Amino acid sequence: MAKEDPLKKYKEKRDFKKTPEPTSSEKVSFDNPRFVVQKHDASRLHYDFRLEVNGVLKSWAIPKGPSLDPGQKRLAVPTEDHPIDYIDFEGIIPKGNYGAGTVIVWDTGTYRNLKKNISMDHTVEDGHIDIWLDGEKLKGGYALIQTGKGNRKFWLLFKKKDDKANSESDILIDRPESVLSGRIIDEIINNKKS
Ligand code: MN
């Protein structure tokens, strides 16, 4: 029996003749799995947090973005699995398309599953993700936890207490730029070559 395409939802939402977003998963990692945080200036500005798990990018939209402060628990809304090649996607999704707006790679790097004896895909299924991030901006322990009951379930992303935590400054304001191109959202909009 043919396995259902894990990217079915992703593809259904998009017309690839009209959006420059990637469709393939050729850029799989061969050693440590990676994560990406994309700043997405869509109808509402948000940050997309994605983890490479079993050949797809598991994805959550974080309206307020990630924080280095363990006291800040940020709502994370699960979104459809994205293809691996989305990991370095930066550019403009044209008006009229799903998610129309500008995307930059706000942070990326590798991650480690801190749950001993539980595979990453099971931690996603269980809603109990415990990871160590080695990004340029986000570092150290993070938890992404599903909480609540019944139809009131929701996810929270938060920094764990360790020496990478910082409650003093706001990384979203201090470091607004792409880690790939050094550009901020406005520079992408004003210079459409990417
Ligand atoms: Mn988004």
Side-chain angles (χ1 to χ4, degrees):
M1 210 170 71
K3 229 176 120 191
E4 194 183 299
D5 181 0
L7 298 175
K8 192 168 176 273
K9 277 190 193 152
Y10 175 85
K11 291 172 181 167
E12 279 171 358
K13 288 172 186 278
R14 292 168 176 82
D15 179 350
F16 297 100
K17 291 190 195 87
K18 294 181 180 162
T19 176
E21 292 167 287
T23 50
S24 61
S25 292
E26 285 162 22
K27 299 173 180 171
V28 287
S29 62
F30 292 101
D31 34 46
N32 292 318
R34 293 160 300 166
F35 78 96
V36 66
V37 180
Q38 278 151 326
K39 186 176 181 181
H40 187 182
D41 189 14
S43 50
R44 273 186 194 192
L45 179 75
H46 61 273
Y47 293 76
D48 289 296
F49 185 75
R50 310 188 199 281
L51 295 170
E52 187 179 11
V53 180
N54 283 356
V56 294
L57 294 176
K58 290 285 169 191
S59 299
W60 292 261
I62 322 262
K64 291 188 175 175
S67 176
L68 306 186
D69 179 356
Q72 293 287 325
K73 292 185 168 57
R74 299 281 162 88
L75 180 68
V77 181
T79 56
E80 74 279 13
D81 293 354
H82 277 48
I84 296 290
D85 292 6
Y86 215 92
I87 200 133
D88 57 5
F89 173 69
E90 198 165 274
I92 297 172
I93 302 170
K95 261 190 195 150
N97 290 277
Y98 181 73
T102 309
V103 177
I104 60 169
V105 174
W106 181 80
D107 197 21
T108 191
T110 58
Y111 77 86
R112 279 187 293 124
N113 177 10
L114 294 176
K115 284 257 158 93
K116 303 284 174 219
N117 310 317
I118 306 179
S119 67
M120 202 50 211
D121 53 326
H122 279 105
T123 73
V124 176
E125 249 169 64
D126 295 348
H128 259 265
I129 297 171
D130 193 5
I131 47 179
W132 184 272
L133 300 181
D134 278 306
E136 196 172 305
K137 298 172 185 171
L138 302 182
K139 298 173 197 291
Y142 274 83
L144 186 53
I145 306 289
Q146 192 178 40
T147 183
K149 279 181 185 162
N151 55 12
R152 294 199 168 186
K153 278 186 183 168
F154 56 97
W155 292 74
L156 293 171
L157 173 74
F158 56 93
K159 179 80 195 76
K160 302 212 318 189
K161 289 176 186 160
D162 55 36
D163 63 355
K164 312 290 185 197
N166 178 349
S167 315
E168 305 300 310
S169 61
D170 187 342
I171 187 98
L172 302 180
I173 291 169
D174 296 347
R175 300 286 307 274
E177 83 288 357
S178 159
V179 294
L180 292 189
S181 65
R183 297 188 294 178
I184 61 168
I185 292 271
D186 285 351
E187 289 171 316
I188 304 259
I189 295 169
N190 297 331
N191 172 15
K192 294 193 175 180
K193 287 177 290 190
S194 58

